[in-house]
Amino acid sequence: MVGSTILKLDGLSKNFGAFQALQNISLEIFEGEFLTIVGPSGSGKTTLIRLLVGMDEPTEGEIRLRGKRIEGTPANKRPTCMVFQSLALFPHKTVGQNIEFPLKIRREPQDRRQERANELLDLLRLPRDYYHKRIAQCSGGEQQRVALARALAFDPEILFFDEPLSALDYRLRKALEKELKDLHERTGKTFVYITHSLEEAMVMSDRIAIMNAGQFEQIATADQIYAKPVSKFVAEFMGEVNLFDIDGSERSGIAASALHSRENLNLGLVDDEFGTLMVRPEFIRQIDGEGNSDFWVFGKLRAEYLLGSRLHYEFECKDGTTLTVEKLREDRLSCVAGDEVLLGWDVENTHLIRSGG
């Protein structure tokens, strides 16, 4: 259960010379939550996490941990820990020695260190006889688990993750995503995870914070961001999407030349407003006549792609725009490349992004 605010950022900015990497970031992170910060390369994710763990100091703004300012506190004095992409394990040491390293720094006695290492091996579902195994003898997934065990040995209040799964192959990455989510639930710790992978964010997170050009575009649950993005950037970043520019001065608000709609639709725009109508590919269906849905377009099938259990279609509309449709394999559309078909969807499956979003 997510609790009260544990970490609060207020007006956080970071400049590198004339370049502003972060611009007036504000955010509350709640105790026990799994928050993922996601965005494209150059959006400011790594800069932000370096400030949060104490590797850099902000140009402006405050970072408060349980109400106490910590932006000037060095990393080794903070009750937080980071799991790096490179893992930063000691290759010449054993698994047990790696896990015990934070406890050794604290001068814990050997018997207590080994006891805690074995507890963490159990927690990370590694055999206890791995205690004496060399890191170089461990697989990539096992090394990930050792790195997590070492981070938990610090008993941190917050664990930060900087793209720790990005170097792994697809199957292992998907398995560890589920294990990380399970570990979060079993430990009750606060996890703050940085990634460029939308899939990782959606699988693991309680909330997702989407970054763009040094700022947050939207912070919400995966479902909320997917269904109701606040901007075109978020809509496109959260997966395949179809976007139509609309104008309140046009009939039914439709300005896009390829798009047709029922006359009595109220899209929520007044005469001088502009916006973008969004529909996700899975909501579009093949229809047998105009007016059999709230919206419809004519499209010529350009390509069909098999994506495991799903089929991905690309249609070219009469104005040259591309419409994307996705269906389960058992719901395959009845058309082949070159066919022109009528495609439709309903107003309840659309979302209006207002101009400026």
Side-chain angles (χ1 to χ4, degrees), residues 204-344:
M204 297 187 292
S205 315
D206 296 316
R207 289 190 301 158
I208 299 173
I210 296 185
M211 290 197 76
N212 181 32
Q215 296 178 308
F216 288 129
E217 289 262 342
Q218 188 170 0
I219 305 170
T221 65
D223 283 344
Q224 289 169 332
I225 293 175
Y226 185 80
K228 296 187 177 181
V230 298
S231 67
K232 284 186 179 182
F233 173 84
V234 174
E236 293 172 328
F237 192 80
M238 287 295 286
E240 294 286 349
V241 68
N242 298 290
L243 301 172
F244 298 91
D245 291 329
I246 59 175
D247 181 345
S249 66
E250 299 288 331
R251 177 186 64 81
S252 299
I254 301 300
S257 60
L259 183 62
H260 306 274
S261 71
R262 294 187 192 275
E263 299 237 1
N264 59 351
L265 290 181
N266 178 10
L267 302 179
L269 291 177
V270 296
D271 286 351
D272 59 348
E273 275 192 308
F274 296 88
T276 300
L277 194 71
M278 180 197 90
V279 58
R280 294 288 180 188
E282 62 268 26
F283 294 121
I284 300 175
R285 63 186 184 273
Q286 193 171 348
I287 57 176
D288 56 11
E290 297 181 26
N292 289 345
S293 60
D294 293 327
F295 300 95
W296 62 91
V297 296
F298 290 91
K300 181 182 290 187
L301 181 58
R302 192 167 61 190
E304 176 185 321
Y305 305 98
L306 177 61
L307 304 176
S309 62
R310 296 175 294 119
L311 288 161
H312 176 99
Y313 300 89
E314 288 187 1
F315 289 88
E316 185 174 345
C317 300
K318 290 187 175 181
D319 64 351
T321 60
T322 298
L323 188 76
T324 301
V325 179
E326 288 193 359
K327 292 293 170 189
L328 295 175
R329 293 181 69 169
E330 57 267 31
D331 298 325
R332 182 189 296 268
L333 299 181
S334 57
C335 56
V336 296
D339 285 355
E340 184 174 73
V341 298
L342 192 57
L343 301 160

Side-chain angles (χ1 to χ4, degrees), residues 341-352:
V341 298
L342 192 57
L343 301 160
W345 61 93
D346 298 320
V347 67
E348 60 263 29
N349 298 133
T350 65
H351 170 64
L352 176 65

Side-chain angles (χ1 to χ4, degrees), residues 14-22 47-48 50-51 56-57 59:
K14 179 64 176 179
N15 300 339
F16 295 98
F19 174 67
Q20 190 169 34
L22 294 178
T47 300
L48 177 58
R50 287 178 65 88
L51 300 185
D56 286 326
E57 292 188 24
T59 305

Side-chain angles (χ1 to χ4, degrees), residues 145-245:
R145 293 180 181 92
V146 174
L148 284 167
R150 185 179 63 181
L152 288 166
F154 281 94
D155 195 23
E157 296 194 44
I158 305 175
L159 266 78
F160 295 100
F161 300 84
D162 185 12
E163 304 201 50
L165 307 184
S166 61
L168 301 178
D169 65 65
Y170 179 80
R171 289 187 64 183
L172 181 55
R173 189 166 69 247
K174 300 310 291 182
L176 286 174
E177 285 172 9
K178 295 174 183 176
E179 287 192 23
L180 268 174
K181 182 63 177 174
D182 178 60
L183 179 66
H184 170 256
E185 292 174 354
R186 285 186 285 128
T187 61
K189 296 285 186 183
T190 304
F191 283 16
V192 179
Y193 195 95
I194 298 286
T195 183
H196 65 276
S197 169
L198 180 62
E199 283 190 20
E200 284 184 20
M202 295 185 76
V203 167
M204 297 187 292
S205 315
D206 296 316
R207 289 190 301 158
I208 299 173
I210 296 185
M211 290 197 76
N212 181 32
Q215 296 178 308
F216 288 129
E217 289 262 342
Q218 188 170 0
I219 305 170
T221 65
D223 283 344
Q224 289 169 332
I225 293 175
Y226 185 80
K228 296 187 177 181
V230 298
S231 67
K232 284 186 179 182
F233 173 84
V234 174
E236 293 172 328
F237 192 80
M238 287 295 286
E240 294 286 349
V241 68
N242 298 290
L243 301 172
F244 298 91
D245 291 329

